[in-house]
């Protein structure tokens, strides 16, 4: 579902302070995979994830998502493709602070033109799936970190994306809550068959996934199948 060939990205291209961040990335991801991209801070993980999520563009190479070449798309076409194909989970949750859990989860459907009644019904269904039925009307400030991340997972799931991209999803959580979030992501991957790509700098999170890609200074240093994924935290 993802095919990336010799992909390069430089920040401030052509300027004296140019920074070559992605240096010839080759990567294939099959539908239904549960994988991680690991690497030190500054190695280019978020940049790569943002390119994959069509939040950012790249300078050269090839990126094909579900058969669609992602290159030089207009704002409108990239937004449309992104809304249809990709769900995001972030370290800082990125929930809208003045909207309650239900409204946050329903938001992607608003952008997809789904009527309000249907949006709210579906949002309630996804909140229930994530064990947050009784928190639907709570604002993010009234939720714990783990509950906020579960709201974010429900929001990522609601538009039935083909892939969910998670950038340091446990970065702001304690160990117990991290475990809970990774278990939920694994369960979602299994039950909904949604491809799940987790970016992390934590080895323990990577070892919970089926495939570990190690990024170093903008290059893939290793790409290994993990025969025995474990949640050891
Ligand atoms: P990681 O997620 O692995 O920590 P990033 O992809 O965020 O790495 O960043 C890789 C490098 O690119 C870092 O040196 C960072 O400072 C730089 N960088 C990230 N975003 C930008 C930007 N918008 N403009 C310029 N440099 C950036
Ligand atoms: Mg990052």
């Amino acid at each position: 579902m993802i095919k990336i060939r010799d992909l390069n990205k430089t920040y401030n291209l052509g300027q004296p302070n140019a920074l070559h961040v992605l240096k010839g990335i080759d990567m294939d991801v099959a539908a239904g995979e549960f994988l991680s991209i690991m690497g030190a801070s500054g190695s280019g993980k978020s940049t790569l994830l943002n390119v994959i999520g069509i939040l950012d563009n790249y300078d050269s190479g090839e990126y094909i998502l579900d058969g669609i070449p992602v290159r030089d798309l207009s704002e409108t076409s990239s937004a449309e493709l992104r809304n249809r194909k990709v769900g995001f989970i972030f370290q800082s949750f990125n929930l809208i602070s003045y909207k309650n859990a239900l409204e946050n989860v329903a938001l992607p459907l608003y952008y997809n033109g789904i009527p309000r009644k249907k949006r709210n019904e579906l949002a309630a269904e996804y909140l229930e799936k994530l064990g947050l039925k009784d928190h639907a009307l709570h604002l993010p400030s009234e939720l714990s970190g783990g509950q906020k991340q579960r709201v974010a997972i429900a929001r990522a799931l609601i538009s039935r994306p083909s892939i969910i991209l998670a950038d340091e999803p446990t970065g702001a959580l304690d160990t117990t809550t991290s475990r809970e979030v990774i278990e939920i992501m694994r369960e979602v991957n299994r039950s909904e068959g949604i491809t799940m790509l987790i970016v992390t700098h934590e080895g323990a999170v990577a070892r919970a996934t089926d495939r570990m890609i190690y990024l170093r200074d903008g290059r893939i240093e290793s790409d290994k199948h993990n025969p025995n994924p474990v949640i050891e935290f």
Side-chain angles (χ1 to χ4, degrees):
M1 67 169 303
I2 283 178
K3 180 181 169 194
I4 293 173
R5 289 292 176 277
D6 196 20
L7 186 140
N8 287 272
K9 179 171 180 67
T10 299
Y11 286 114
N12 305 316
L13 191 66
Q15 281 166 246
N17 58 342
L19 190 63
H20 194 180
V21 179
L22 299 177
K23 303 171 180 166
I25 301 289
D26 291 305
M27 183 178 157
D28 290 277
V29 179
E33 280 198 68
F34 186 66
L35 76 161
S36 56
I37 297 179
M38 248 240 294
S41 173
S43 54
K45 305 183 297 297
S46 294
T47 302
L48 179 56
L49 204 72
N50 291 345
V51 168
I52 294 174
I54 328 175
L55 285 170
D56 205 351
N57 40 34
Y58 55 98
D59 304 314
S60 67
E62 183 179 38
Y63 169 31
I64 296 172
L65 173 60
D66 278 347
I68 304 162
V70 180
R71 192 78 219 261
D72 301 327
L73 298 174
S74 68
E75 274 308 290
T76 321
S77 336
S78 24
E80 194 269 330
L81 193 57
R82 186 165 62 235
N83 291 342
R84 196 151 47 86
K85 299 275 183 196
V86 191
F88 292 95
I89 300 171
F90 299 96
Q91 172 171 358
S92 50
F93 321 118
N94 288 20
L95 300 176
I96 296 179
S97 59
Y98 56 86
K99 289 190 184 287
N100 65 34
L102 187 86
E103 292 164 335
N104 267 285
V105 173
L107 198 62
L109 299 180
Y110 170 82
Y111 293 114
N112 289 347
I114 312 287
R116 179 186 218 108
K117 186 161 177 286
K118 183 77 187 159
R119 289 203 302 267
N120 288 345
E121 277 170 18
L122 276 169
E125 210 175 283
Y126 275 90
L127 279 175
E128 184 167 3
K129 264 192 201 180
L130 286 151
L132 289 168
K133 193 178 177 207
D134 299 332
H135 294 80
L137 303 180
H138 288 217
L139 291 171
S141 59
E142 297 164 335
L143 299 171
S144 70
Q147 288 169 336
K148 279 189 258 205
Q149 202 56 303
R150 280 191 275 152
V151 172
I153 294 170
R155 179 186 56 185
L157 281 172
I158 200 165
S159 45
R160 310 205 112 267
S162 35
I163 187 163
I164 289 183
L165 304 174
D167 196 347
E168 307 273 6
T170 60
L173 304 175
D174 62 42
T175 310
T176 313
T177 315
S178 294
R179 181 187 180 94
E180 178 191 301
V181 164
I182 296 297
E183 277 171 351
I184 290 169
M185 292 179 70
R186 165 63 88 181
E187 175 54 28
V188 161
N189 163 259
R190 281 211 184 105
S191 61
E192 318 260 325
I194 295 179
T195 314
M196 195 75 77
L197 172 51
I198 304 175
V199 153
T200 183
H201 66 274
E202 294 173 72
V205 171
R207 286 191 291 278
T209 68
D210 300 330
R211 175 181 169 194
M212 305 185 294
I213 294 176
Y214 196 87
L215 203 62
R216 189 192 197 84
D217 287 336
R219 289 193 176 88
I220 291 180
E221 188 177 73
S222 63
D223 183 345
K224 287 191 190 119
H225 172 62
N226 182 15
N228 185 26
V230 282
I231 302 185
E232 61 191 31
F233 48 86

PDB file of all heavy atoms in Angstrom, residues 162-184:
ATOM      1  N   SER A 162      -6.938   3.970   5.493  1.00  0.00           N
ATOM      2  CA  SER A 162      -6.210   2.731   5.219  1.00  0.00           C
ATOM      3  C   SER A 162      -4.960   2.645   6.084  1.00  0.00           C
ATOM      4  O   SER A 162      -4.441   1.567   6.313  1.00  0.00           O
ATOM      5  CB  SER A 162      -5.882   2.558   3.733  1.00  0.00           C
ATOM      6  OG  SER A 162      -5.614   3.759   3.113  1.00  0.00           O
ATOM      7  N   ILE A 163      -4.483   3.793   6.562  1.00  0.00           N
ATOM      8  CA  ILE A 163      -3.307   3.744   7.440  1.00  0.00           C
ATOM      9  C   ILE A 163      -3.446   4.754   8.579  1.00  0.00           C
ATOM     10  O   ILE A 163      -3.988   5.843   8.386  1.00  0.00           O
ATOM     11  CB  ILE A 163      -1.998   3.985   6.647  1.00  0.00           C
ATOM     12  CG1 ILE A 163      -0.773   3.765   7.529  1.00  0.00           C
ATOM     13  CG2 ILE A 163      -1.966   5.370   6.011  1.00  0.00           C
ATOM     14  CD1 ILE A 163       0.527   3.584   6.770  1.00  0.00           C
ATOM     15  N   ILE A 164      -2.966   4.358   9.768  1.00  0.00           N
ATOM     16  CA  ILE A 164      -2.876   5.299  10.876  1.00  0.00           C
ATOM     17  C   ILE A 164      -1.403   5.555  11.162  1.00  0.00           C
ATOM     18  O   ILE A 164      -0.614   4.613  11.301  1.00  0.00           O
ATOM     19  CB  ILE A 164      -3.615   4.783  12.129  1.00  0.00           C
ATOM     20  CG1 ILE A 164      -5.134   4.837  11.869  1.00  0.00           C
ATOM     21  CG2 ILE A 164      -3.264   5.615  13.361  1.00  0.00           C
ATOM     22  CD1 ILE A 164      -5.986   4.427  13.042  1.00  0.00           C
ATOM     23  N   LEU A 165      -1.040   6.823  11.209  1.00  0.00           N
ATOM     24  CA  LEU A 165       0.333   7.235  11.471  1.00  0.00           C
ATOM     25  C   LEU A 165       0.388   7.839  12.870  1.00  0.00           C
ATOM     26  O   LEU A 165      -0.367   8.762  13.172  1.00  0.00           O
ATOM     27  CB  LEU A 165       0.767   8.280  10.441  1.00  0.00           C
ATOM     28  CG  LEU A 165       0.642   7.852   8.978  1.00  0.00           C
ATOM     29  CD1 LEU A 165       0.966   9.025   8.044  1.00  0.00           C
ATOM     30  CD2 LEU A 165       1.559   6.673   8.686  1.00  0.00           C
ATOM     31  N   ALA A 166       1.261   7.298  13.702  1.00  0.00           N
ATOM     32  CA  ALA A 166       1.338   7.766  15.087  1.00  0.00           C
ATOM     33  C   ALA A 166       2.746   8.292  15.353  1.00  0.00           C
ATOM     34  O   ALA A 166       3.719   7.545  15.221  1.00  0.00           O
ATOM     35  CB  ALA A 166       0.991   6.621  16.035  1.00  0.00           C
ATOM     36  N   ASP A 167       2.846   9.569  15.692  1.00  0.00           N
ATOM     37  CA  ASP A 167       4.154  10.174  15.968  1.00  0.00           C
ATOM     38  C   ASP A 167       4.375  10.259  17.472  1.00  0.00           C
ATOM     39  O   ASP A 167       3.754  11.078  18.147  1.00  0.00           O
ATOM     40  CB  ASP A 167       4.232  11.572  15.335  1.00  0.00           C
ATOM     41  CG  ASP A 167       5.672  12.076  15.243  1.00  0.00           C
ATOM     42  OD1 ASP A 167       6.561  11.464  15.877  1.00  0.00           O
ATOM     43  OD2 ASP A 167       5.908  13.072  14.537  1.00  0.00           O
ATOM     44  N   GLU A 168       5.230   9.375  17.997  1.00  0.00           N
ATOM     45  CA  GLU A 168       5.520   9.308  19.438  1.00  0.00           C
ATOM     46  C   GLU A 168       4.226   9.257  20.258  1.00  0.00           C
ATOM     47  O   GLU A 168       4.040  10.073  21.171  1.00  0.00           O
ATOM     48  CB  GLU A 168       6.362  10.526  19.872  1.00  0.00           C
ATOM     49  CG  GLU A 168       7.626  10.757  19.062  1.00  0.00           C
ATOM     50  CD  GLU A 168       8.838   9.978  19.565  1.00  0.00           C
ATOM     51  OE1 GLU A 168       8.693   9.139  20.488  1.00  0.00           O
ATOM     52  OE2 GLU A 168       9.924  10.185  18.998  1.00  0.00           O
ATOM     53  N   PRO A 169       3.335   8.296  19.979  1.00  0.00           N
ATOM     54  CA  PRO A 169       2.019   8.303  20.637  1.00  0.00           C
ATOM     55  C   PRO A 169       2.082   8.112  22.150  1.00  0.00           C
ATOM     56  O   PRO A 169       1.130   8.448  22.847  1.00  0.00           O
ATOM     57  CB  PRO A 169       1.283   7.123  19.976  1.00  0.00           C
ATOM     58  CG  PRO A 169       2.359   6.213  19.504  1.00  0.00           C
ATOM     59  CD  PRO A 169       3.494   7.121  19.095  1.00  0.00           C
ATOM     60  N   THR A 170       3.201   7.581  22.649  1.00  0.00           N
ATOM     61  CA  THR A 170       3.304   7.362  24.094  1.00  0.00           C
ATOM     62  C   THR A 170       4.269   8.353  24.741  1.00  0.00           C
ATOM     63  O   THR A 170       4.573   8.245  25.931  1.00  0.00           O
ATOM     64  CB  THR A 170       3.804   5.923  24.383  1.00  0.00           C
ATOM     65  OG1 THR A 170       5.092   5.759  23.775  1.00  0.00           O
ATOM     66  CG2 THR A 170       2.861   4.881  23.816  1.00  0.00           C
ATOM     67  N   GLY A 171       4.744   9.302  23.950  1.00  0.00           N
ATOM     68  CA  GLY A 171       5.767  10.231  24.420  1.00  0.00           C
ATOM     69  C   GLY A 171       5.376  11.045  25.641  1.00  0.00           C
ATOM     70  O   GLY A 171       6.241  11.462  26.410  1.00  0.00           O
ATOM     71  N   ALA A 172       4.061  11.277  25.819  1.00  0.00           N
ATOM     72  CA  ALA A 172       3.626  12.107  26.942  1.00  0.00           C
ATOM     73  C   ALA A 172       2.934  11.277  28.018  1.00  0.00           C
ATOM     74  O   ALA A 172       2.266  11.822  28.889  1.00  0.00           O
ATOM     75  CB  ALA A 172       2.685  13.196  26.434  1.00  0.00           C
ATOM     76  N   LEU A 173       3.099   9.948  27.952  1.00  0.00           N
ATOM     77  CA  LEU A 173       2.327   9.088  28.856  1.00  0.00           C
ATOM     78  C   LEU A 173       3.234   8.303  29.795  1.00  0.00           C
ATOM     79  O   LEU A 173       4.370   7.976  29.446  1.00  0.00           O
ATOM     80  CB  LEU A 173       1.490   8.108  28.023  1.00  0.00           C
ATOM     81  CG  LEU A 173       0.543   8.730  26.977  1.00  0.00           C
ATOM     82  CD1 LEU A 173      -0.116   7.636  26.145  1.00  0.00           C
ATOM     83  CD2 LEU A 173      -0.506   9.600  27.651  1.00  0.00           C
ATOM     84  N   ASP A 174       2.693   7.960  30.976  1.00  0.00           N
ATOM     85  CA  ASP A 174       3.460   7.108  31.888  1.00  0.00           C
ATOM     86  C   ASP A 174       3.453   5.669  31.366  1.00  0.00           C
ATOM     87  O   ASP A 174       2.757   5.350  30.406  1.00  0.00           O
ATOM     88  CB  ASP A 174       2.908   7.192  33.314  1.00  0.00           C
ATOM     89  CG  ASP A 174       1.472   6.704  33.396  1.00  0.00           C
ATOM     90  OD1 ASP A 174       1.139   5.674  32.773  1.00  0.00           O
ATOM     91  OD2 ASP A 174       0.656   7.370  34.073  1.00  0.00           O
ATOM     92  N   THR A 175       4.247   4.809  32.018  1.00  0.00           N
ATOM     93  CA  THR A 175       4.439   3.449  31.519  1.00  0.00           C
ATOM     94  C   THR A 175       3.140   2.664  31.398  1.00  0.00           C
ATOM     95  O   THR A 175       2.879   2.048  30.363  1.00  0.00           O
ATOM     96  CB  THR A 175       5.402   2.691  32.458  1.00  0.00           C
ATOM     97  OG1 THR A 175       6.539   3.528  32.654  1.00  0.00           O
ATOM     98  CG2 THR A 175       5.856   1.397  31.868  1.00  0.00           C
ATOM     99  N   THR A 176       2.323   2.696  32.440  1.00  0.00           N
ATOM    100  CA  THR A 176       1.079   1.923  32.418  1.00  0.00           C
ATOM    101  C   THR A 176       0.178   2.383  31.287  1.00  0.00           C
ATOM    102  O   THR A 176      -0.404   1.573  30.559  1.00  0.00           O
ATOM    103  CB  THR A 176       0.324   2.093  33.758  1.00  0.00           C
ATOM    104  OG1 THR A 176       1.275   1.922  34.807  1.00  0.00           O
ATOM    105  CG2 THR A 176      -0.801   1.110  33.908  1.00  0.00           C
ATOM    106  N   THR A 177       0.069   3.706  31.136  1.00  0.00           N
ATOM    107  CA  THR A 177      -0.803   4.247  30.099  1.00  0.00           C
ATOM    108  C   THR A 177      -0.219   3.979  28.715  1.00  0.00           C
ATOM    109  O   THR A 177      -0.960   3.705  27.767  1.00  0.00           O
ATOM    110  CB  THR A 177      -1.001   5.763  30.326  1.00  0.00           C
ATOM    111  OG1 THR A 177      -1.251   5.968  31.710  1.00  0.00           O
ATOM    112  CG2 THR A 177      -2.152   6.292  29.529  1.00  0.00           C
ATOM    113  N   SER A 178       1.099   4.023  28.592  1.00  0.00           N
ATOM    114  CA  SER A 178       1.751   3.700  27.318  1.00  0.00           C
ATOM    115  C   SER A 178       1.388   2.290  26.891  1.00  0.00           C
ATOM    116  O   SER A 178       1.042   2.033  25.740  1.00  0.00           O
ATOM    117  CB  SER A 178       3.275   3.768  27.454  1.00  0.00           C
ATOM    118  OG  SER A 178       3.676   5.075  27.710  1.00  0.00           O
ATOM    119  N   ARG A 179       1.448   1.394  27.843  1.00  0.00           N
ATOM    120  CA  ARG A 179       1.123   0.002  27.576  1.00  0.00           C
ATOM    121  C   ARG A 179      -0.308  -0.120  27.053  1.00  0.00           C
ATOM    122  O   ARG A 179      -0.569  -0.788  26.047  1.00  0.00           O
ATOM    123  CB  ARG A 179       1.282  -0.805  28.874  1.00  0.00           C
ATOM    124  CG  ARG A 179       0.997  -2.248  28.697  1.00  0.00           C
ATOM    125  CD  ARG A 179       0.983  -3.016  30.012  1.00  0.00           C
ATOM    126  NE  ARG A 179       0.702  -4.400  29.680  1.00  0.00           N
ATOM    127  CZ  ARG A 179       1.645  -5.313  29.475  1.00  0.00           C
ATOM    128  NH1 ARG A 179       2.897  -5.030  29.652  1.00  0.00           N
ATOM    129  NH2 ARG A 179       1.316  -6.533  29.112  1.00  0.00           N
ATOM    130  N   GLU A 180      -1.210   0.566  27.742  1.00  0.00           N
ATOM    131  CA  GLU A 180      -2.624   0.532  27.375  1.00  0.00           C
ATOM    132  C   GLU A 180      -2.825   1.049  25.937  1.00  0.00           C
ATOM    133  O   GLU A 180      -3.532   0.439  25.133  1.00  0.00           O
ATOM    134  CB  GLU A 180      -3.362   1.398  28.399  1.00  0.00           C
ATOM    135  CG  GLU A 180      -4.832   1.567  28.207  1.00  0.00           C
ATOM    136  CD  GLU A 180      -5.339   2.674  29.141  1.00  0.00           C
ATOM    137  OE1 GLU A 180      -5.167   2.537  30.380  1.00  0.00           O
ATOM    138  OE2 GLU A 180      -5.866   3.677  28.626  1.00  0.00           O
ATOM    139  N   VAL A 181      -2.145   2.145  25.612  1.00  0.00           N
ATOM    140  CA  VAL A 181      -2.302   2.749  24.283  1.00  0.00           C
ATOM    141  C   VAL A 181      -1.740   1.823  23.189  1.00  0.00           C
ATOM    142  O   VAL A 181      -2.375   1.618  22.151  1.00  0.00           O
ATOM    143  CB  VAL A 181      -1.646   4.156  24.255  1.00  0.00           C
ATOM    144  CG1 VAL A 181      -1.425   4.647  22.831  1.00  0.00           C
ATOM    145  CG2 VAL A 181      -2.522   5.139  25.017  1.00  0.00           C
ATOM    146  N   ILE A 182      -0.578   1.234  23.442  1.00  0.00           N
ATOM    147  CA  ILE A 182       0.005   0.325  22.447  1.00  0.00           C
ATOM    148  C   ILE A 182      -0.885  -0.919  22.280  1.00  0.00           C
ATOM    149  O   ILE A 182      -1.095  -1.401  21.165  1.00  0.00           O
ATOM    150  CB  ILE A 182       1.457  -0.079  22.835  1.00  0.00           C
ATOM    151  CG1 ILE A 182       2.368   1.161  22.815  1.00  0.00           C
ATOM    152  CG2 ILE A 182       2.004  -1.163  21.918  1.00  0.00           C
ATOM    153  CD1 ILE A 182       2.533   1.827  21.470  1.00  0.00           C
ATOM    154  N   GLU A 183      -1.432  -1.421  23.394  1.00  0.00           N
ATOM    155  CA  GLU A 183      -2.339  -2.581  23.310  1.00  0.00           C
ATOM    156  C   GLU A 183      -3.569  -2.237  22.465  1.00  0.00           C
ATOM    157  O   GLU A 183      -4.011  -3.048  21.646  1.00  0.00           O
ATOM    158  CB  GLU A 183      -2.770  -3.037  24.714  1.00  0.00           C
ATOM    159  CG  GLU A 183      -1.739  -3.954  25.363  1.00  0.00           C
ATOM    160  CD  GLU A 183      -2.025  -4.238  26.837  1.00  0.00           C
ATOM    161  OE1 GLU A 183      -2.924  -3.600  27.429  1.00  0.00           O
ATOM    162  OE2 GLU A 183      -1.311  -5.100  27.398  1.00  0.00           O
ATOM    163  N   ILE A 184      -4.103  -1.046  22.667  1.00  0.00           N
ATOM    164  CA  ILE A 184      -5.274  -0.627  21.881  1.00  0.00           C
ATOM    165  C   ILE A 184      -4.907  -0.535  20.401  1.00  0.00           C
ATOM    166  O   ILE A 184      -5.648  -0.994  19.531  1.00  0.00           O
ATOM    167  CB  ILE A 184      -5.827   0.727  22.383  1.00  0.00           C
ATOM    168  CG1 ILE A 184      -6.465   0.554  23.756  1.00  0.00           C
ATOM    169  CG2 ILE A 184      -6.828   1.313  21.402  1.00  0.00           C
ATOM    170  CD1 ILE A 184      -6.788   1.856  24.448  1.00  0.00           C
TER     171      ILE A 184
END
